[in-house]
Amino acid sequence: MNNAVRLALANYSNFRGRTKRQDFWLWYLFTILLTVPTAILDRLIFPGHGYIGNIAGLFILIPSSATGTRRMHDVGKRGWWLLIPLVNIYFLVQPSGPLNQFEM
């Protein structure tokens, strides 16, 4: 998981290229593991507000978008598919596709 998180953060603004399925899902697991404790801290420290969660969300927003876009490229789709909730899940679980127009 360490390598996938490091890769996502190092390429936080890179919306080109591809991301393997395993790296995408490990990044997704990291975001869940970050979100749950921040939600608990928000309830304990700032009841009724989401200050810590909002900061964590801003921290992972761009890397998550970039990683998701690169994952879509890996299955041969454009990153805009991330905006369609149920369809993108189908594409995200697909195995990596062959070489395509998104290769760098």
Side-chain angles (χ1 to χ4, degrees):
M1 177 195 269
N2 217 5
N3 190 36
V5 172
R6 191 175 319 120
L7 181 66
L9 292 176
N11 292 306
Y12 76 95
S13 64
N14 181 11
F15 287 81
R16 293 194 167 126
R18 296 168 69 159
T19 295
K20 294 184 286 187
R21 182 172 43 177
Q22 179 182 0
D23 290 340
F24 171 80
W25 287 112
L26 287 173
W27 169 255
Y28 190 77
L29 176 64
F30 169 76
T31 62
I32 291 171
L33 293 176
L34 179 70
T35 304
V36 170
T38 58
I40 292 169
L41 282 174
D42 274 336
R43 294 210 180 242
L44 293 174
I45 299 173
F46 304 110
H49 302 287
Y51 300 126
I52 299 171
N54 289 341
I55 292 169
L58 287 173
F59 173 73
I60 62 173
L61 177 67
I62 293 175
S64 293
S65 299
T67 303
T69 299
R70 289 192 312 267
R71 177 67 192 130
M72 286 292 166
H73 291 172
D74 195 43
V75 295
K77 302 295 179 195
R78 298 220 174 263
W80 293 106
W81 282 100
L82 286 173
L83 299 176
I84 305 173
L86 296 177
V87 175
N88 72 23
I89 293 172
Y90 171 76
F91 291 137
L92 291 172
V93 298
Q94 297 300 307
S96 297
L99 296 179
N100 57 38
Q101 73 268 24
F102 300 107
E103 285 298 313
M104 292 195 67

